[in-house]
């Protein structure tokens, strides 16, 4: 199993770079960041510094979207980083939640997302693609490689991830839901004539190592609120109780009243009081090292290739170090 670290690009950028360097020293292979231009600093600028100051780390957004940048700009940015540092990027992409809604726009349609994934990958790898009906190619790309990993929850998005993406990003760590979603993605890949095992599976969720479970829950409760934004979209589309989406995912947002993106992805978010302890425990990894190892082994047995650790809480360095000393060795050597 691979491991990734997920950060917000809060200033100073040097702190983001420092945490990514610490993560690489502790065995993390991927460095991910949020991508919302209004809420945080521009991640692609910071990726250049991370790549310069690490040796092997692969960097990318969790997640970008097809609406805040034109597709040729996104592709060229990835391709430039790859040319400078040797194909060490990955494009995590989704419909766009915070990046679009903060700017007063609706998330992109799945159709637009599916088209963008193919165009961005083709351009970044040096192939010709059509953007708004115009055939384009980046003539300077040589031996470019850009895996495109798609974030998804609902049945149509899961089907698209299986049919078109190089990887699937699931932003929660509940084994029951993970099994259901992996089955949907791999089934869609098979239906599309692809090798289901070739689609990488990445589970992303907060992790907090320690014996004070109540404190850990409070530090990670924001995640249930963030996931709730996507779940609310699913409920509006399919209903609160549906044959298409498991109740294990949708039931907990019944008391949800709203969401302020000013607190998005932050410990102490006041808009997450509706998130019960049960959801925090299911969606996150909490407790002593042994509890993390046990849950990660269960996820690995379901087919998860990478765990990406959301590190937005008050024990960032300690969590990175605990994973490096105990958790990562247990999952990469056993």
């Amino acid at each position: 199993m691979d491991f990734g670290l997920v950060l917000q690009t809060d200033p100073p950028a040097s702190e983001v770079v420092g945490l990514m360097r610490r993560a690489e020293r502790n065995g993390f292979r991927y460095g991910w960041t949020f991508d919302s231009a209004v809420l945080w600093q521009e991640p692609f600028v910071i990726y250049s510094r991370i790549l310069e100051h690490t040796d092997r780390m692969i960097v990318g957004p969790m997640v970008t979207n097809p609406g805040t940048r034109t597709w040729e700009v996104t592709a060229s940015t990835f391709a430039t980083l790859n040319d400078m540092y040797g194909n060490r990027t990955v494009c995590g992409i989704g419909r766009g939640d915070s990046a679009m809604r903060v700017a007063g726009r609706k998330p992109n349609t799945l159709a637009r997302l599916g088209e963008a994934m193919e165009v961005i990958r083709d351009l970044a790898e040096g192939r010709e693609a059509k953007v708004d009906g115009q055939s384009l190619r980046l003539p300077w790309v040589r031996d470019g490689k850009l895996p495109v990993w798609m974030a998804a929850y609902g049945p149509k998005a899961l089907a698209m991830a299986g049919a078109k993406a190089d990887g699937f990003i699931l932003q929660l760590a509940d084994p029951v839901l993970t099994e259901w979603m992996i089955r949907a993605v791999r089934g869609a890949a098979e239906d599309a004539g692809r090798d289901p095992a070739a689609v990488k599976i990445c589970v992303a969720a907060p992790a907090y190592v320690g014996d004070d479970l109540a404190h850990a829950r409070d530090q990670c409760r924001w995640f249930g609120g963030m996931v709730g934004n996507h779940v609310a979209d699913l409920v509006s589309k399919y209903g609160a109780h549906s044959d298409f989406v498991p109740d294990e995912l949708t039931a907990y947002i019944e008391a949800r009243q709203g969401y302020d993106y000013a607190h998005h992805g932050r410990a102490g978010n006041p808009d997450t009081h509706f998130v019960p302890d049960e959801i925090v425990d299911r969606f996150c990894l909490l407790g002593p090292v042994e509890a993390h190892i046990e849950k990660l082994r269960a996820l690995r047995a379901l087919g998860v290739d990478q765990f990406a650790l959301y590190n937005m809480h008050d024990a960032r360095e300690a969590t990175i170090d605990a994973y490096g000393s105990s958790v990562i060795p247990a999952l990469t050597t056993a």
Side-chain angles (χ1 to χ4, degrees), residues 164-313:
K164 295 191 174 186
D166 300 299
F168 161 53
I169 297 171
L170 171 58
Q171 291 166 309
L172 54 80
D174 175 69
V176 172
L177 292 171
T178 299
E179 182 176 20
W180 178 79
M181 293 188 188
I182 290 176
R183 187 166 59 245
V185 168
R186 290 195 164 151
E190 187 172 7
D191 291 343
R194 307 177 69 199
D195 177 6
V199 181
K200 296 293 186 181
I201 307 295
C202 174
V203 160
Y208 197 105
V209 179
D211 295 324
D212 188 342
L213 193 56
H215 180 73
R217 284 170 176 156
D218 286 343
Q219 286 292 301
C220 298
R221 198 175 306 276
W222 63 265
F223 185 66
M226 187 184 85
V227 174
N229 291 330
H230 305 287
V231 174
D233 287 343
L234 295 177
V235 169
S236 67
K237 184 177 183 65
Y238 296 104
H241 303 285
S242 164
D243 293 336
F244 300 101
V245 184
D247 285 351
E248 290 90 343
L249 180 61
T250 59
Y252 84 97
I253 70 160
E254 290 181 359
R256 179 181 182 270
Q257 295 181 341
Y259 194 81
D260 183 352
Y261 282 93
H263 311 287
H264 188 59
R266 300 190 185 279
N269 187 332
D271 297 321
T272 59
H273 296 304
F274 71 93
V275 180
D277 288 350
E278 176 200 0
I279 288 294
V280 184
D281 292 347
R282 282 174 44 205
F283 285 10
C284 304
L285 283 83
L286 311 174
V289 160
E290 294 76 17
H292 292 246
I293 293 172
E294 180 182 5
K295 190 166 189 178
L296 287 168
R297 282 177 173 163
L299 291 169
R300 183 177 63 179
L302 295 175
V304 174
D305 299 294
Q306 179 185 156
F307 174 61
L309 189 162
Y310 279 106
N311 204 29
M312 298 79 167
H313 49 57

Side-chain angles (χ1 to χ4, degrees), residues 22-55:
R22 189 185 195 111
E24 184 179 65
R25 292 195 300 269
N26 276 281
F28 288 80
R29 187 167 172 237
Y30 285 78
W32 302 91
T33 74
F34 283 27
D35 177 20
S36 293
V38 174
L39 296 176
W40 301 288
Q41 292 186 330
E42 173 55 41
F44 287 94
V45 176
I46 298 172
Y47 295 156
S48 188
R49 293 287 288 174
I50 295 170
L51 290 166
E52 182 182 3
H53 289 283
T54 57
D55 296 320

Side-chain angles (χ1 to χ4, degrees), residues 3 20 49 66 85 96 107-108 124 132 157 184 207 212 236 254 281 314 332:
F3 286 82
M20 290 300 187
R49 293 287 288 174
Y85 299 104
N108 297 270
D132 297 328
D212 188 342
S236 67
E254 290 181 359
D281 292 347
D314 64 1
T332 55

